[in-house]
Amino acid sequence: MAGLKGTKSDDFINAAKERGEAAMKDKQPRLTKLERAFRHAAIRRISQEERRAASSMSTTSE
């Protein structure tokens, strides 16, 4: 979002992203829909990275 740097909407999105990622460890966080979407995306991204790391470990051990 380089083109939106410094705008009010960009600040709002960045704050929601930070709050959503910070709430990843909470079981039932109270978040807005935007924060919840960023939290969900971060959880999916981490689980994909873990799956890739596990699959690369299993292929290198053979």
Side-chain angles (χ1 to χ4, degrees):
M1 291 188 207
L4 297 176
K5 188 171 184 177
T7 64
K8 187 174 182 179
S9 60
D10 189 42
D11 294 340
F12 184 75
I13 291 168
N14 288 335
K17 184 175 183 179
E18 289 174 15
R19 184 149 188 255
E21 290 178 353
M24 283 179 36
K25 295 180 183 175
D26 297 341
K27 291 198 180 225
Q28 292 183 339
R30 295 189 61 162
L31 303 171
T32 64
K33 293 213 182 248
L34 182 60
E35 293 166 344
R36 196 174 308 140
F38 279 120
R39 178 180 181 263
H40 180 68
I43 290 170
R44 287 185 57 204
R45 184 180 65 243
I46 288 173
S47 67
Q48 277 183 339
E49 291 170 359
E50 289 173 352
R51 279 196 304 265
R52 285 185 185 141
S55 68
S56 67
M57 291 175 128
S58 66
T59 57
T60 57
S61 64
E62 293 176 353

